[in-house]
Amino acid sequence: AQSVSQHNHHVILSEAASLELGCNYSYGGTVNLFWYVQYPGQHLQLLLKYFSGDPLVKGIKGFEAEFIKSKFSFNLRKPSVQWSDTAEYFCAVTSYNTDKLIFGTGTRLQVFP
Amino acid sequence: NAGVTQTPKFQVLKTGQSMTLQCAQDMNHNSMYWYRQDPGMGLRLIYYSASEGTTDKGEVPNGYNVSRLNKREFSLRLESAAPSQTSVYFCASTLRRTGGYYGYTFGSGTRLTVV
């Protein structure tokens, strides 16, 4: 069965620090990968997605993610975080052979000024 | 505005009561989903419907039923609510195309409390 692991449950950073959030998935077929963000009290918004092609994907608000097929990973990065990036971040995966979008447990990011 | 609409936004139920959460999308998407979100557990898939007329169980289907009424609407029913079903429920939809899924869109959520 598909599963997604996010090993960082809670990350605390100061503004301007660099960010990397880990995401690993378990599925051997062709996958589509996503990162979503949820700001306090709001619903999920798509940050970026990977379907095919260049494994380095750029999203909104300066976020990017790299798909490393050999490692089953899709880590999220941002060179310099801002206080407004405080939110919960979710990695998710689906595939051509299933109609299910499966989420990781999320990483709570707190950025202090 | 185009998107996914969920009703109600808030609901308090007593243990044993029943209710139906409604979801509708106007983007002509073929696949629809119900998730629940609990602290520290992320979003877990309850049921999904790949196309009109089909429904399938997700990760946590027990205690729930669904109906794909038509292409636009996908409802979630709690027949006998339990405190363990206290959660925030999200509906989502997407369009399956050749090459995969594009643009999952989420509703704003229903916060359900069972006392």
Side-chain angles (χ1 to χ4, degrees):
Chain A
Q2 284 175 272
S3 68
V4 180
S5 297
Q6 291 182 245
H7 304 294
N8 313 104
H9 298 295
H10 189 192
V11 174
I12 301 173
L13 294 173
S14 298
E15 275 192 319
S18 64
L19 171 71
E20 181 161 2
L21 301 182
C23 173
N24 289 90
Y25 64 93
S26 64
Y27 187 74
T30 302
V31 293
N32 300 149
L33 297 156
F34 305 81
W35 275 98
Y36 283 87
V37 61
Q38 187 178 34
Y39 298 102
Q42 297 187 25
H43 60 94
L44 281 84
Q45 301 174 37
L46 182 66
L47 270 180
L48 48 79
K49 59 190 178 188
Y50 171 81
F51 287 93
S52 62
D54 189 345
L56 185 61
V57 179
K58 295 194 182 298
I60 61 172
K61 304 186 181 187
F63 286 92
E64 65 178 30
E66 185 175 12
F67 171 51
I68 304 179
K69 190 175 182 179
S70 61
K71 295 184 178 180
F72 298 89
S73 70
F74 189 56
N75 292 353
L76 181 71
R77 300 194 292 248
K78 186 171 184 178
S80 176
V81 295
Q82 301 172 322
W83 175 80
S84 58
D85 293 324
T86 294
E88 192 154 18
Y89 293 81
F90 295 94
C91 182
V93 62
T94 188
S95 72
Y96 293 10
N97 297 328
T98 176
D99 295 299
K100 296 185 287 187
L101 179 66
I102 302 299
F103 283 84
T105 53
T107 297
R108 183 178 170 215
L109 172 66
Q110 280 185 290
V111 180
F112 289 97
Chain B
N1 292 333
V4 177
T5 303
Q6 288 183 237
T7 55
K9 294 191 183 303
F10 300 93
Q11 184 72 50
V12 179
L13 290 178
K14 293 183 179 178
T15 298
Q17 285 186 315
S18 63
M19 79 161 294
T20 300
L21 281 64
Q22 306 287 353
C23 175
Q25 53 88 12
D26 57 4
M27 297 170 286
N28 203 33
H29 285 174
N30 45 16
S31 299
M32 297 185 73
Y33 306 79
W34 276 105
Y35 291 89
R36 59 177 289 174
Q37 184 178 21
D38 303 288
M41 305 191 77
L43 280 84
R44 292 180 292 169
L45 182 63
I46 305 171
Y47 271 93
Y48 65 103
S49 171
S51 60
E52 186 178 353
T54 68
T55 60
D56 285 285
K57 294 178 181 179
E59 302 167 277
V60 289
N62 291 344
Y64 304 95
N65 285 301
V66 290
S67 295
R68 184 72 183 266
L69 305 170
N70 47 55
K71 191 171 186 179
R72 291 187 61 248
E73 298 172 289
F74 187 40
S75 62
L76 178 72
R77 183 162 178 83
L78 287 71
E79 291 292 351
S80 179
S84 61
Q85 293 177 305
T86 293
S87 187
V88 180
Y89 292 84
F90 287 99
C91 178
S93 70
T94 191
L95 181 65
R96 184 174 187 175
R97 300 177 183 166
T98 300
Y101 291 90
Y102 295 81
Y104 287 88
T105 302
F106 284 82
S108 57
T110 297
R111 186 174 294 275
L112 175 67
T113 302
V114 183
V115 297

